[in-house]
Amino acid sequence: MENAMPKVSILLPTHQSGAHLRETLDSIKAQTYQDYELLVVDDASTDQTLEILREYPDLRIQIIQGRNQGLADALNLGIKRAQGQYIARIDADDLMVPERLEKQVRFLDTHQNVIVCGGWQQYFGLSTFLHAPPASAEQCRANLLFRCDLCHSTLMLRTASFIDHNLFYDPAYAAEDFELWTRVLDVGDIANIPEVLGYYREDGKSITTAKKERLIRQNGEIVAASLKRNLGIVLSEKQKRYFTGWTNPFYQKKEGASAVKQAEGWRDLRAVLFNIYQRNQEMGYYCEAALLKTLRAEWTRLRYQMPFLLPKQEISPDRLFQKVSGLEVIMRKGMSFQRNYRGIYRKYRKIRSVLHK
């Protein structure tokens, strides 16, 4: 008897998602790969979300009642209910390209060591930023030491690996996805298909101040946990703050640090990063070439307030802390500013067009 279980379980959390849900569902309906179930975990929506879902009976939708305990809890419910061999994530205001499922299924079928497969994501709405995380499993592993360099709503997960190894989102973390991927690496690889697989809607909705403060603080805690688990390196509370998200303690005026103390901090940061390289030579948890690129990118980000950009060329240990020229700093910051400016200008034009109607 043929197995009636779907190959893919598409996991879609919803909460007051009516504004853009039809576009998301249309992108699912247009998939070239059709062997899927659609699991919608709805967290007490009171808008038109549920009515819209009923308009799509051909999508084989199963609605799971969420417990209104946040995104991590909703995703965990979906993972436990998934019948598919793979779980494809999508958010209720993002879009899939038509070939996304087909390409990811083919990739996971032929790369048994990979348990999470993602892709690139094109921003739309307020900006045209392209989030293009590295393709190779080696570089993904290294980058995840410091940051969540993955496009969450393009990811496809190997269901059995997550269930068998109790890999669920921890609701204690605001960056529940980043924390989870660092644990996933203990079980298997994460890789990306270097193509745009999804579109991310940037609508200008900002996160709350309280959540942002948790994200900033917890980023350093996640980095510290990875270093302890993978390389046996224990960071002090001060050193954890080097790796907080969005902010850099070396540039915080409220710290009131003298030039001497700042220089001491740079030396300590440099020692921490070089220690990571040395310990990895003993432990072999990260590919050395990939790790050196990541360490270099993190050093220039923190030391020179530059965007996190991987070097195009291989990095040798003696070039790890090579000084960056003032011109290079200006050029890289200029590129980052132009990218953000385009988004701001688009928002301005949109507001202006509404006012002049």
Side-chain angles (χ1 to χ4, degrees):
M1 181 177 178
E2 187 178 350
N3 190 350
M5 294 300 180
K7 181 81 169 187
V8 177
S9 296
I10 301 174
L11 178 51
L12 172 64
T14 57
H15 175 69
Q16 307 295 80
S17 303
H20 306 293
L21 182 57
R22 285 189 180 89
E23 294 175 73
T24 301
L25 294 174
D26 286 341
S27 77
I28 295 173
K29 186 176 180 179
Q31 289 299 297
T32 58
Y33 189 89
Q34 288 288 310
D35 187 11
Y36 64 79
E37 63 176 351
L38 176 54
L39 302 181
V40 177
V41 185
D42 184 70
D43 259 350
S45 292
T46 57
D47 66 350
Q48 67 269 40
T49 294
L50 296 177
E51 295 176 14
I52 293 172
L53 290 171
R54 286 192 284 268
E55 297 174 9
Y56 291 80
D58 52 331
L59 288 183
R60 304 177 293 283
I61 298 173
Q62 297 183 43
I63 298 176
I64 302 170
Q65 183 60 54
R67 297 180 291 197
N68 205 19
Q69 294 182 15
L71 179 60
D73 185 69
L75 293 175
N76 289 339
L77 286 175
I79 291 173
K80 292 173 182 177
R81 288 279 296 273
Q83 297 295 310
Q85 182 179 349
Y86 305 132
I87 298 171
R89 276 282 291 113
I90 183 71
D91 287 327
D93 52 0
D94 297 338
L95 309 174
M96 296 182 178
V97 301
E99 302 84 7
R100 176 194 156 179
L101 296 183
E102 180 181 353
K103 290 181 176 181
Q104 289 184 303
V105 167
R106 185 184 307 123
F107 186 93
L108 288 174
D109 280 350
T110 55
H111 296 78
Q112 295 299 317
N113 59 311
V114 175
I115 62 176
V116 175
C117 171
W120 294 354
Q121 198 167 50
Q122 178 71 58
Y123 281 45
F124 71 101
L126 297 182
S127 74
T128 57
F129 170 65
L130 173 64
H131 187 185
S136 74
E138 294 81 8
Q139 197 62 62
C140 286
R141 180 178 291 264
N143 280 16
L144 279 165
L145 176 55
F146 296 118
R147 63 192 57 257
C148 189
D149 196 11
L150 295 172
C151 303
H152 195 178
S153 64
T154 70
L155 298 182
M156 183 175 283
L157 324 176
R158 198 177 292 276
T159 310
S161 297
F162 278 71
I163 297 297
D164 294 347
H165 296 278
N166 200 35
L167 293 172
F168 295 101
Y169 295 86
D170 187 341
Y173 287 90
E176 66 281 326
D177 53 340
F178 181 24
E179 192 277 334
L180 175 59
W181 312 139
T182 63
R183 289 186 283 118
V184 164
L185 291 173
D186 295 336
V187 175
D189 287 333
I190 298 174
N192 289 296
I193 297 173
E195 301 176 27
V196 173
L197 296 186
Y199 292 87
Y200 177 86
R201 188 184 304 274
E202 193 173 30
D203 58 7
K205 294 180 181 178
S206 59
I207 61 175
T208 64
T209 301
K211 183 173 181 178
K212 186 171 183 179
E213 289 176 352
R214 287 177 62 211
L215 286 167
I216 290 171
R217 183 185 73 255
Q218 290 180 346
N219 198 87
E221 295 173 359
I222 294 169
V223 172
S226 292
L227 287 173
K228 184 177 180 180
R229 185 171 63 248
N230 302 334
L231 299 177
I233 295 174
V234 178
L235 298 183
S236 67
E237 290 302 316
K238 177 184 177 182
Q239 290 168 337
K240 289 179 185 178
R241 296 178 61 229
Y242 298 161
F243 305 107
T244 54
W246 287 309
T247 63
N248 184 330
F250 298 114
Y251 293 100
Q252 299 300 302
K253 293 181 180 180
K254 64 181 181 181
E255 299 294 326
S258 66
V260 173
K261 287 187 176 181
Q262 190 178 59
E264 290 176 354
W266 292 132
R267 284 193 295 272
D268 187 38
L269 172 63
R270 180 169 174 161
V272 170
L273 296 178
F274 196 70
N275 187 33
I276 293 172
Y277 163 71
Q278 289 182 312
R279 290 303 297 270
N280 186 64
Q281 285 190 303
E282 303 170 16
M283 309 290 289
Y285 187 83
Y286 301 97
C287 165
E288 183 171 317
L291 179 63
L292 284 168
K293 284 189 175 185
T294 297
L295 292 173
R296 174 63 179 172
E298 186 70 0
W299 168 254
T300 57
R301 181 186 79 86
L302 293 172
R303 179 64 181 85
Y304 300 101
Q305 286 191 303
M306 295 168 65
F308 181 92
L309 294 174
L310 293 173
K312 294 182 179 179
Q313 306 297 328
E314 297 295 319
I315 296 294
S316 59
D318 59 311
R319 291 182 55 216
L320 194 53
F321 305 106
Q322 188 176 35
K323 187 176 180 180
V324 176
S325 69
L327 178 60
E328 187 177 357
V329 173
I330 293 172
M331 289 180 64
R332 287 205 196 176
K333 287 185 177 180
M335 290 168 58
S336 178
F337 172 77
Q338 289 176 6
R339 184 187 69 196
N340 293 330
Y341 175 79
R342 284 197 299 269
I344 295 170
Y345 184 61
R346 282 172 179 270
K347 184 176 183 180
Y348 161 75
R349 288 195 304 175
K350 182 177 181 181
I351 294 172
R352 186 181 64 179
S353 67
V354 171
L355 292 176
H356 288 276
K357 280 184 177 179

